[in-house]
Amino acid sequence: MWSLVSLSACFFLPRHIPLSWIERAIDPAEQFYYVWLQVMIVPIVYNCVIIILRTCFTAIGLSYLPVWLTLDYVSDLMYAADMTVTLHTGFLDQGILIKDLTRLRKRYLRSKHFMWDLVSLLPTDFLYFAFGFETPLVRINRLVRIPRLNEALDRMETRTSYPNTFRIIKLMIYIFVLIHWNACLYFALSNYIGFGSDQWVYPNITDPMFASMRRQYFYCFWFSAQIFTTVGDTPLPIREDEYLFMIADMLIAVLVFASIVGNVGNVITSLRDRDNVFFPNHELVKAYLRSHHVSKELRQRIDNWYQHLHINKKIMRENEILQQLPLHMRTEIAVSVHLPTLSKVTIFQSCEKSLLEDLVLKLTPQVFSPGEYVCRKGDVGHEMYIIKEGKLAVVADDGVTEFAVLSAGNFFGEISILNIKGNKSGNRRTANIKSIGHSDLFSLSKEDLTDVLSEFPAAKRHLEEKGRQILIKMGMLEERAEVEEVEAEKVETKIERLESSLEVLRTKLARLMVELESSNRKTRARVEQLEMRVAVLHIHLPPGEEGGEGGSGREDGVGGEADWEREEAEGEEEGAEENGGKQGGNGDNDVTKEGDGESTKSTKDETERVAVGNKFDLKDSDCLKGKESDGEKIIEKGDERPGKGDGAEIEPRNQKHDGESVDKEYQRRLRRKRRAGFKLKENKS
């Protein structure tokens, strides 16, 4: 099928068109595609109107048969050309326009759109040989192209500058086609029932008044329009067929009437919304003025201002209208509309383009009425003005004497928004400016200019220098103040530099403090891990090494032997005290620091050594392996409570277990072993 379409397109296209043009891809957003859609409206509307007309009004069809056949096959050729255009139309894939013809053909040939296009071009005209030329209904498949008509109308609606008017026209076209079809069906039904058989059907065509083809069509169209618009009286139906036809027409008429009312209402609402967006809401303002009993003179001035806006189409809400557009598009629109006006300002001449593009977005349109003051002498200047249209007068305090007249392209108030030091006027207005007639101005506020110049420091210095030159020419700049300003700027620059350096140092100090704290935490954790490992290594040492280490911790000679004897004696005394303590109650758990003449410090050292020995020797005993944890608790208790004796450290453990006598016996044997090991070491030395 594609080969047939391409062959027919190549055959009917002019010979001077190169083949490369036929093989190129078409962008659906370009002008050629838009124009082609408008061209395709003609054959589609032709088939929608003429096929049913020739079918029902056979006299019209047969009278102009050569014309109809020629138009039929021209429309078929346009259908075939439209398939070729659609085949070469590109599409977007992830935002990129696809122009590869192979992909375009594959996509189109596999789509439903191709199937409908193919159905609309089926050669049903061969059925003329079976039914005759008086039955053009065989070409009814050409109406399948109606979606193409909708696409063309939608494109036109988006591109037209008057969309509301176009919507009304499109609605009227749809209604016309609907009434046309109903008129044709009414004439066919009258022919079926019999012309002139009753009042409802079309009158007898033998009557010369109703015999002409033009009269037949116009009468039927008028009859259908009466039914759909429910305007006027129509003859009452008599036969069942007539009743069914009228019922169907009335139901369709309800939908037509609803669509007309709805569409017209939407158009009116859209027009009102457009006016509200373009212009301030006058109704709300008038209601506010009435409720607050504003003077009639002021209300008249406000009404005149609104009237001037509407008559001359002055737009006051540019930012609101364009806020839906992307920023770069708004910038381009503002540049094309306002940049020539902004470039006329002396201080902005020779500025970089990016600065001007940011400034044009800040311009605010204002409209002043005749006799209205734009600014008065002595007022603080918060904005500058650029005259777009109209004339303004520089007047004296009496408001009558005119010193100068400003026209389109002039500007004033530019010095007040730069805030230049040494300005004798002190950023106050130096003259009275009054609007002579209706004047259109653009205002640029000091805040907007400051925000923009904060991103362009070089432009800021350039504008301030230009402003100083203007003030010097006017004699409005104090040189001493200018020198003081330069010195103040130097001091401010130094202060800013110091503040920035101080801020950097604070940041570094805070970073170092955080690193130090983190290092301390890591060191403490490492020390705790090492202590735990040392404790584990002490627990797993052999008994001989434990004794050696314990002995090496003591003093050599008789003093060391005396210590072992004293420990044994203390153990015996402890046993005696415990026996007495059992009879007298809980008793004292602490061992006094007196008795052997030893100081508190020596007693503490001995307590620690005994506790360590107990921990190591507990490991050697098979019967007391379960006591190892208690030995560790004794070590901790001995460290926390200095000055306590051996008995004070052993007693809490014995209170927790039932085998107290076994523990005491074990301690006495342990002391004897240590004493023997100490003597053996002394003999070896």
Side-chain angles (χ1 to χ4, degrees):
M1 181 62 196
W2 158 240
S3 59
L4 292 175
V5 172
S6 300
L7 201 63
S8 61
C10 294
F11 178 78
F12 289 103
L13 285 173
R15 295 293 182 182
H16 64 275
I17 298 179
L19 190 61
S20 59
W21 186 89
I22 300 175
E23 293 296 329
R24 77 179 185 93
I26 300 173
D27 186 358
E30 67 183 8
Q31 185 68 17
F32 171 78
Y33 188 77
Y34 175 70
V35 173
W36 176 254
L37 287 178
Q38 291 179 316
V39 171
M40 284 302 299
I41 294 176
V42 177
I44 297 174
V45 172
Y46 164 79
N47 286 316
C48 290
V49 174
I50 300 302
I51 290 177
I52 189 68
L53 177 69
R54 292 165 55 193
T55 302
C56 298
F57 293 89
T58 55
I60 296 176
L62 295 176
S63 299
Y64 303 97
L65 184 60
V67 176
W68 300 136
L69 293 178
T70 302
L71 294 177
D72 287 347
Y73 297 125
V74 169
S75 66
D76 291 347
L77 290 178
M78 295 182 68
Y79 276 21
D82 183 60
M83 290 185 66
T84 305
V85 171
T86 307
L87 184 69
H88 289 77
T89 302
F91 64 94
L92 294 178
D93 186 8
Q94 298 182 1
I96 300 175
L97 181 64
I98 304 300
K99 296 184 177 181
D100 185 12
L101 293 179
T102 304
R103 292 186 60 182
L104 296 180
R105 292 169 183 171
K106 185 182 298 184
R107 181 174 181 268
Y108 176 63
L109 294 177
R110 293 180 179 179
S111 64
K112 293 182 179 179
H113 188 58
F114 169 73
M115 296 302 299
W116 290 114
D117 292 347
L118 187 62
V119 169
S120 66
L121 273 179
L122 290 177
T124 55
D125 296 56
F126 288 109
L127 296 176
Y128 279 141
F129 298 105
F131 300 102
F133 287 101
E134 66 274 5
T135 57
L137 195 62
V138 296
R139 293 177 52 84
I140 196 66
N141 60 320
R142 270 57 174 179
L143 301 182
V144 177
R145 286 292 183 95
I146 290 180
R148 194 67 163 170
L149 173 64
N150 296 330
E151 181 184 358
L153 295 178
D154 292 340
R155 289 291 185 99
M156 293 177 66
E157 182 177 346
T158 56
R159 287 208 177 193
T160 182
S161 300
Y162 305 96
N164 293 315
T165 305
F166 183 81
R167 293 189 190 104
I168 295 294
I169 294 174
K170 183 173 68 173
L171 177 63
M172 297 306 297
I173 291 174
Y174 286 156
I175 294 175
F176 166 78
V177 174
L178 185 61
I179 294 176
H180 168 77
W181 272 67
N182 191 76
C184 295
L185 295 177
Y186 167 74
F187 188 81
L189 182 61
S190 299
N191 186 19
Y192 172 75
I193 296 174
F195 296 117
S197 59
D198 54 43
Q199 295 182 352
W200 186 85
V201 298
Y202 185 79
N204 197 338
I205 59 175
T206 57
D207 188 351
M209 183 179 296
F210 300 98
S212 66
M213 294 180 292
R214 184 169 52 187
R215 183 60 177 270
Q216 293 174 4
Y217 178 76
F218 286 156
Y219 181 91
C220 296
F221 194 90
W222 169 81
F223 186 86
S224 298
Q226 274 191 326
I227 296 174
F228 283 154
T229 58
T230 65
V231 177
D233 296 331
T234 57
L236 295 176
I238 298 175
R239 298 165 59 92
E240 291 81 358
D241 300 337
E242 299 171 357
Y243 275 109
L244 293 176
F245 185 86
M246 288 295 295
I247 291 173
D249 276 4
M250 288 182 178
L251 293 177
I252 297 173
V254 172
L255 298 178
V256 170
F257 185 77
S259 63
I260 293 174
V261 173
N263 280 274
V264 173
N266 290 336
V267 170
I268 295 174
T269 304
S270 178
L271 292 174
R272 183 177 299 174
D273 293 341
R274 185 200 64 182
D275 292 340
N276 291 337
V277 171
F278 274 71
F279 311 106
N281 195 335
H282 191 192
E283 299 296 331
L284 294 178
V285 176
K286 288 195 292 187
Y288 176 84
L289 297 177
R290 285 195 303 269
S291 63
H292 289 78
H293 306 288
V294 178
S295 63
K296 184 177 180 180
E297 181 182 358
L298 180 57
R299 283 188 290 174
Q300 184 63 37
R301 288 174 54 194
I302 294 173
D303 291 340
N304 293 336
W305 184 78
Y306 271 105
Q307 184 178 359
H308 171 73
L309 293 182
H310 281 274
I311 292 175
N312 297 279
K313 305 300 180 183
K314 304 293 183 181
I315 301 174
M316 301 297 297
R317 298 180 175 181
E318 292 184 354
N319 295 332
E320 296 181 16
I321 296 171
L322 303 177
Q323 65 181 354
Q324 304 296 335
L325 296 176
L327 179 60
H328 68 279
M329 288 188 177
R330 279 185 287 165
T331 304
E332 292 180 4
I333 294 173
V335 166
S336 63
V337 175
H338 303 315
L339 187 59
T341 304
L342 187 64
S343 300
K344 295 178 182 178
V345 182
T346 306
I347 60 174
F348 295 133
Q349 291 177 355
S350 71
C351 287
E352 52 185 308
K353 188 177 179 180
S354 56
L355 172 63
L356 298 179
E357 289 177 353
D358 288 346
L359 286 177
V360 293
L361 293 174
K362 307 295 184 180
L363 294 179
T364 304
Q366 295 187 12
V367 178
F368 291 90
S369 301
E372 186 177 358
Y373 278 90
V374 179
C375 61
R376 294 180 181 271
K377 185 177 180 180
D379 294 343
V380 178
H382 296 288
E383 61 277 316
M384 67 167 293
Y385 294 95
I386 305 171
I387 303 175
K388 180 184 179 183
E389 184 180 350
K391 291 185 178 183
L392 291 88
V394 181
V395 298
D397 294 337
D398 58 5
V400 178
T401 306
E402 294 184 359
F403 298 115
V405 177
L406 305 176
S407 58
N410 295 122
F411 53 90
F412 55 92
E414 71 278 5
I415 302 299
S416 62
I417 66 174
L418 290 176
N419 197 19
I420 299 174
K421 300 294 182 181
N423 188 358
K424 293 181 181 180
S425 62
N427 292 337
R428 292 184 178 272
R429 305 296 188 187
T430 58
N432 300 312
I433 299 180
K434 184 174 66 173
S435 177
I436 298 176
H438 290 282
S439 302
D440 297 345
L441 282 73
F442 287 114
S443 66
L444 178 64
S445 66
K446 180 187 296 185
E447 292 78 10
D448 292 337
L449 180 63
T450 303
D451 293 341
V452 175
L453 291 181
S454 62
E455 301 177 0
F456 299 91
K460 181 179 180 181
R461 292 191 295 268
H462 176 70
L463 292 177
E464 290 177 351
E465 182 61 28
K466 279 193 172 184
R468 290 191 189 95
Q469 294 176 3
I470 295 174
L471 289 175
I472 291 173
K473 291 180 180 180
M474 297 171 59
M476 300 293 293
L477 182 66
E478 297 180 359
E479 296 182 0
R480 182 180 301 175
E482 185 179 2
V483 174
E484 292 177 357
E485 179 192 358
V486 174
E487 294 178 354
E489 288 181 355
K490 291 182 180 179
V491 174
E492 291 178 358
T493 304
K494 291 180 181 179
I495 293 174
E496 291 177 357
R497 190 184 302 113
L498 290 174
E499 288 179 351
S500 61
S501 301
L502 180 60
E503 189 67 25
V504 172
L505 291 176
R506 285 177 179 174
T507 304
K508 291 182 179 180
L509 179 60
R511 189 183 298 112
L512 290 174
M513 292 296 293
V514 172
E515 293 178 356
L516 178 61
E517 184 179 356
S518 176
S519 178
N520 288 338
R521 287 198 301 267
K522 293 179 180 179
T523 303
R524 286 195 297 268
R526 182 63 178 168
V527 170
E528 292 176 0
Q529 292 179 359
L530 291 175
E531 289 177 352
M532 294 176 61
R533 290 181 181 179
V534 170
V536 172
L537 290 175
H538 279 303
I539 292 173
H540 293 286
L541 284 175
E545 295 181 7
E546 291 179 359
E549 291 176 2
S552 63
R554 304 174 187 274
E555 297 179 358
D556 296 335
V558 181
E561 185 176 358
D563 290 339
W564 287 108
E565 291 176 355
R566 182 167 57 253
E567 288 175 4
E568 185 176 358
E570 287 174 0
E572 293 175 356
E573 290 175 2
E574 182 182 352
E577 288 175 2
E578 287 177 358
N579 292 333
K582 291 177 182 178
Q583 298 174 0
N586 292 334
D588 246 351
N589 290 334
D590 297 337
V591 180
T592 61
K593 299 177 183 178
E594 303 175 358
D596 294 335
E598 295 290 328
S599 64
T600 304
K601 183 176 181 180
S602 62
T603 305
K604 178 181 177 182
D605 296 335
E606 290 171 2
T607 303
E608 291 175 354
R609 287 195 298 270
V610 172
V612 173
N614 293 341
K615 181 187 71 174
F616 291 153
D617 288 339
L618 280 172
K619 186 177 179 182
D620 298 335
S621 175
D622 296 330
C623 64
L624 298 175
K625 286 182 180 179
K627 304 293 184 177
E628 185 176 348
S629 60
D630 295 334
E632 293 175 357
K633 294 180 181 179
I634 294 171
I635 294 174
E636 296 174 359
K637 205 159 192 176
D639 293 336
E640 294 174 358
R641 301 176 60 189
K644 300 296 179 180
D646 296 338
E649 295 176 357
I650 298 172
E651 185 176 358
R653 184 188 67 179
N654 294 337
Q655 291 177 357
K656 295 180 182 178
H657 302 281
D658 296 334
E660 294 180 354
S661 59
V662 177
D663 292 338
K664 298 303 179 181
E665 182 66 19
Y666 172 78
Q667 295 294 334
R668 286 194 291 272
R669 291 180 180 179
L670 181 60
R671 291 189 183 94
R672 293 192 190 99
K673 288 182 180 180
R674 289 176 177 172
R675 183 177 180 185
F678 180 81
K679 289 181 179 181
L680 179 61
K681 181 179 179 183
E682 185 179 7
N683 293 334
K684 288 181 180 180
S685 62

